[in-house]
Amino acid sequence: MIDTVIFDVGRVLVDWNYNRYLEEFSFSGEKKAKIKSAIFEGPYWPMADRGILTFDELLHGFISLAPEYQEDICRVIDGAEKTISLYSYSVPFVKELKEKGLRLYLLSNYSRFLLEKTKHKMDFLPYMDGALFSYSCHLIKPEAEIYRLLLDRFQIEPSHAVFFDDTPANVQGAIDLGIHGIHFTGYENARKALTALQVL
């Protein structure tokens, strides 16, 4: 019997779209590619999620990968909250699940600096029974330890929980610990999965 639903955040409950955000700047194609690689697709973004660098260290790291674009990188980081937007289905969905008596949790690879910038957009937070953001424990999915920490901290029985994530490796990490892991590909498919599990 499923009594707990665990959500990833980015691309599950919120749209994380840095490509769309970068379109707001009048960067040339090459410049945009270098800035994207330095910030969002480089080695420092996972370090931010792991919470092992201060914000100044993180910014220095981004700049070190494209020093010729220091000013632009600072501009992009300054407005990074624009990479995040709330999906229209998110609040009604979690509210519906909450009203059915389910326990709801978040398990997300998320940096402190981005959470501080975007938490106000997460209108689903009041419905959550708890959350574990990676920066706070210096662990990231799909490392087994972060799932174990979530299960232990909130006394979740793995076989009674379902976990939605948009990244297959993270889903497998949950499955390996006995959680019902489901690859999130959209709201309708998520509903179908919960119906199959007799949750909806």
Side-chain angles (χ1 to χ4, degrees):
M1 174 184 170
I2 301 297
D3 60 20
T4 301
V5 180
I6 306 163
F7 291 100
D8 179 27
V9 175
R11 296 174 179 157
V12 175
L13 293 177
V14 302
D15 187 18
W16 181 51
N17 193 328
Y18 53 82
N19 285 307
R20 182 181 59 208
Y21 168 52
L22 289 172
E23 291 296 328
E24 297 183 13
F25 299 87
S26 300
F27 298 149
S28 67
E30 180 183 357
K31 183 176 182 178
K32 182 170 66 175
K34 285 188 175 181
I35 290 174
K36 179 169 69 171
S37 179
I39 299 176
F40 302 108
E41 297 178 357
Y44 290 96
W45 196 266
M47 293 184 196
D49 285 346
R50 197 179 286 278
I52 58 175
L53 298 177
T54 67
F55 177 75
D56 287 343
E57 289 170 336
L58 184 63
L59 185 59
H60 179 77
F62 292 148
I63 292 169
S64 73
L65 297 176
E68 68 273 31
Y69 299 130
Q70 176 174 343
E71 183 178 338
D72 293 304
I73 287 173
C74 290
R75 287 170 58 209
V76 169
I77 291 299
D78 189 55
E81 69 275 5
K82 295 180 181 179
T83 62
I84 297 291
S85 58
L86 182 69
Y87 286 129
S88 61
Y89 62 75
S90 296
V91 172
F93 189 29
V94 299
K95 184 178 180 182
E96 177 186 7
L97 296 175
K98 192 66 179 175
E99 289 173 349
K100 287 185 175 294
L102 291 156
R103 302 167 69 200
L104 305 180
Y105 296 94
L106 301 177
L107 178 62
S108 183
N109 289 350
Y110 220 99
S111 65
R112 179 190 296 272
F113 96 88
L114 192 60
L115 184 63
E116 289 174 350
K117 284 179 168 291
T118 59
K119 192 174 183 179
H120 69 281
K121 298 186 178 187
M122 299 182 184
D123 294 344
F124 47 80
L125 285 175
Y127 299 99
M128 295 296 155
D129 293 288
L132 181 57
F133 292 102
S134 59
Y135 80 85
S136 68
C137 59
H138 311 306
L139 299 166
I140 58 175
K141 297 175 293 182
E143 295 166 354
E145 291 82 359
I146 194 169
Y147 302 92
R148 292 195 185 102
L149 179 59
L150 179 84
L151 296 173
D152 292 346
R153 179 174 293 181
F154 299 113
Q155 299 183 323
I156 299 169
E157 175 59 43
S159 63
H160 294 176
V162 58
F163 172 59
F164 288 106
D165 197 294
D166 67 302
T167 302
N170 295 344
V171 174
Q172 188 60 50
I175 291 171
D176 290 344
L177 289 175
I179 302 166
H180 296 273
I182 296 174
H183 181 209
F184 185 89
T185 58
Y187 169 61
E188 291 301 331
N189 283 339
R191 291 193 66 87
K192 289 177 182 177
L194 290 177
T195 299
L197 289 167
Q198 299 182 327
V199 176
L200 290 177

